[in-house]
Amino acid sequence: MNVEEPSAGGRGAREGLPEWLNHTPGYAPPAERATSPAALYGVLVEERMLFTLVELSHACGTDCAQLCELVDEGVLVPIGDGPQQWQFEGSALRRARTAARLATDLALNTHATAIVLDLLDEIRALRAQVRRHALR
Amino acid sequence: MLHRTDLADGTRHDRTIDPYATLGLKPAATPQEIKRAYRKLARRYHPDVSKEPDAESRFKDVALAYDALVDPDKKAARDARSEPEPGPSAQEFAFNGFGADGGQNPGDFLEALYAQQARDQRVRDFGSAARSTRIDQHARVTIGLRDAYRGSLATVALHDRRLEVTLPKGVRHGQHLRLAGQAAPAFDGQPAGDLYLEIEIAPHADFRVEDRDVYTALPLAPWQAALGATLDLPTPDGMLEIVVPPGSAAGGRLRLKGQGIPATPPGDLYAVLSIVLPKADTDPARDAYRALARSFAGFDPRHPQETHR
């Protein structure tokens, strides 16, 4: 992940902003609206976060055992050896949540969930392709 | 009867749901029939797999009806992911208790269930706080494409409070913003969980967003396509002067590098070309087409490459 050198005092650095935000490449405060001192700043999950197994379990309301099954099935691909060291990329949040919804709502086992997720990915790619061709 | 409450655009919409009618069943339906009806409708309307425009709302009705009729376990699982979905143009979904009016003459079984779920409701009213383990919360926030280009402030309406949140520029559809410690406060001394805001970029009439790239239509007059032109192109972030090269064809795309969503790295903006013919509805217009026809006497639009002039 690209993190620019801290630019404290430099261009773009602003007082009162959390430190990581001043490090965010390309971040500029909203130009045309009054910034509110009370407004909260978040972290962009897909670009700036890694989850441990427990954190991911909290974040998607799924127990760790079910997440481990999803790893076994290849739905989630953490880095690191063994559950204690696993780190999941931010994009795992959406995938794990979708998997949990499918498993619960459609009564699917982990293997079936994995197949559905793969097919959904394929459908998404094909639809994007169709849209691009429709514009030609 | 079940009551379902949606909070959309800050306005409450209360609706009453008949669980049997929602599943297309008669009150005498057996558990097997209920399950079969639910499975079929769930496959059809599940928001992750369905293309129906109102899938999410339909599925919520179906799930609510099914949970009320047979499956307290699944309700618990869904509650664990408890998902109020507020936002500036927010949707919030919660059970609004279960009325005692009972419509379809529910038996003791249903009465008991309703009582149980009314108790659940009270628990739910405390959000995830009534749980002993930390639970993170999810909500959805809808922003305009321009907000994704420039960054914005959004007000997120939750059950119990409103949050003002800075959305950085360059966010993409489907990404999440994590607000540490901003889930509903815990009562049992546990630190509050995190609030995850799913970012949704509202569809725009003039721009189509594909991840970080943005597409827009650029209709040209025939002479502009043939001879080239310098034009003002509206982009989500203002006007941009672009050069259409001579000999441009309908369906061609002009790529404006770095003019898509300003993520890291930024996306591109594509102007998709089309050619619009002026109407031949006056004598001068018809004369102009006739002059064109004379000039291109040998032109065969079915085989344009082989045409000799």
Side-chain angles (χ1 to χ4, degrees):
Chain A
M1 185 168 297
N2 284 328
V3 179
E4 285 181 349
E5 286 300 305
S7 58
R11 213 156 57 96
R14 267 174 18 121
E15 274 181 49
L17 284 192
E19 200 191 5
W20 66 265
L21 197 55
N22 272 332
H23 301 180
T24 305
Y27 177 78
E32 292 202 340
R33 305 179 189 205
T35 45
S36 159
L40 299 166
Y41 292 90
V43 178
L44 208 51
V45 171
E46 280 74 6
E47 296 186 357
R48 306 194 57 84
M49 269 195 73
L50 291 174
F51 292 99
T52 65
L53 180 62
V54 173
E55 284 166 351
L56 186 62
S57 147
H58 282 149
C60 58
T62 309
D63 62 45
C64 292
Q66 199 181 345
L67 291 176
C68 289
E69 280 183 30
L70 291 170
V71 172
D72 286 343
E73 202 66 48
V75 170
L76 302 175
V77 185
I79 34 183
D81 303 326
Q84 298 291 327
Q85 275 77 43
W86 278 348
Q87 299 241 281
F88 296 84
E89 286 186 6
S91 57
L93 176 65
R94 164 174 302 279
R95 208 159 169 78
R97 268 167 59 78
T98 307
R101 276 195 301 264
L102 290 170
T104 311
D105 298 336
L106 302 182
L108 302 182
N109 64 26
T110 311
H111 186 58
T113 303
I115 293 171
V116 172
L117 283 170
D118 285 350
L119 292 174
L120 288 176
D121 284 347
E122 199 174 327
I123 291 170
R124 198 172 303 119
L126 289 171
R127 281 195 187 132
Q129 222 171 334
V130 168
R131 277 197 299 271
R132 278 194 292 276
H133 279 280
L135 269 170
R136 282 180 191 281
Chain B
M1 286 291 136
L2 308 176
H3 296 284
R4 184 185 140 182
T5 302
D6 286 313
L7 193 67
D9 300 319
T11 320
R12 266 185 189 282
H13 300 283
D14 286 304
R15 292 193 301 112
T16 305
I17 296 164
D18 173 349
Y20 288 103
T22 301
L23 296 176
L25 295 168
K26 295 192 170 73
T30 65
Q32 287 89 340
E33 286 169 334
I34 292 170
K35 187 170 180 177
R36 208 176 301 141
Y38 166 75
R39 290 274 177 94
K40 195 174 164 196
L41 291 168
R43 285 198 303 274
R44 180 163 167 199
Y45 290 117
H46 196 278
D48 290 313
V49 299
S50 176
K51 259 200 89 179
E52 306 273 344
D54 56 347
E56 187 165 349
S57 173
R58 293 291 299 265
F59 178 73
K60 279 172 178 168
D61 284 356
V62 167
L64 189 59
Y66 182 63
D67 291 348
L69 292 181
V70 296
D71 201 342
D73 288 346
K74 175 146 22 168
K75 181 177 180 311
R78 210 173 273 123
D79 287 354
R81 298 201 309 270
S82 79
E83 196 169 352
E85 296 165 353
S89 49
Q91 314 155 8
E92 189 163 5
F93 173 67
F95 297 120
N96 193 25
F98 293 82
D101 51 335
Q104 296 271 3
N105 194 15
D108 291 343
F109 161 70
L110 279 185
E111 294 272 295
L113 247 171
Y114 288 158
Q116 171 62 41
Q117 295 193 319
R119 280 195 297 280
D120 290 352
Q121 167 62 18
R122 282 191 294 280
V123 171
R124 182 192 294 260
D125 277 343
F126 292 107
S128 42
R131 299 167 190 284
S132 55
T133 51
R134 193 188 99 144
I135 297 277
D136 293 343
Q137 227 179 344
H138 286 260
R140 200 181 293 162
V141 58
T142 304
I143 61 171
L145 183 54
R146 198 160 169 271
D147 296 329
Y149 270 75
R150 299 193 171 181
S152 63
L153 275 180
T155 304
V156 180
L158 300 174
H159 279 294
D160 49 344
R161 68 221 140 101
R162 284 172 174 273
L163 298 177
E164 211 177 352
V165 179
T166 300
L167 298 171
K169 78 173 196 178
V171 293
R172 284 173 277 151
H173 187 83
Q175 289 189 319
H176 295 79
L177 203 65
R178 172 176 169 266
L179 299 166
Q182 291 295 334
F187 288 136
D188 57 0
Q190 295 272 334
D194 301 333
L195 175 65
Y196 288 89
L197 286 185
E198 181 180 345
I199 292 155
E200 188 175 68
I201 297 180
H204 192 292
D206 300 328
F207 302 100
R208 189 168 56 78
V209 182
E210 294 273 352
D211 193 33
R212 63 186 78 209
D213 295 333
V214 179
Y215 292 76
T216 188
L218 178 57
L220 298 171
W223 50 90
Q224 291 175 324
L227 306 174
T230 302
L231 301 170
D232 284 334
L233 179 76
T235 79
D237 203 25
M239 284 293 181
L240 211 59
E241 192 175 82
I242 65 162
V243 176
V244 179
S248 292
R253 300 186 302 188
L254 300 180
R255 185 172 78 136
L256 298 148
K257 197 168 161 37
Q259 298 292 331
I261 306 255
T264 320
D268 300 328
L269 177 67
Y270 289 93
V272 183
L273 305 180
S274 60
I275 295 175
V276 181
L277 297 178
K279 276 186 183 160
D281 53 0
T282 63
D283 281 338
R286 281 186 285 270
D287 286 346
Y289 275 112
R290 285 185 195 110
L292 199 59
R294 283 193 296 276
S295 300
F296 289 94
F299 178 69
D300 178 359
R302 265 76 63 192
H303 305 92
Q305 295 86 354
E306 298 162 20
T307 301
H308 35 78
R309 309 196 165 145

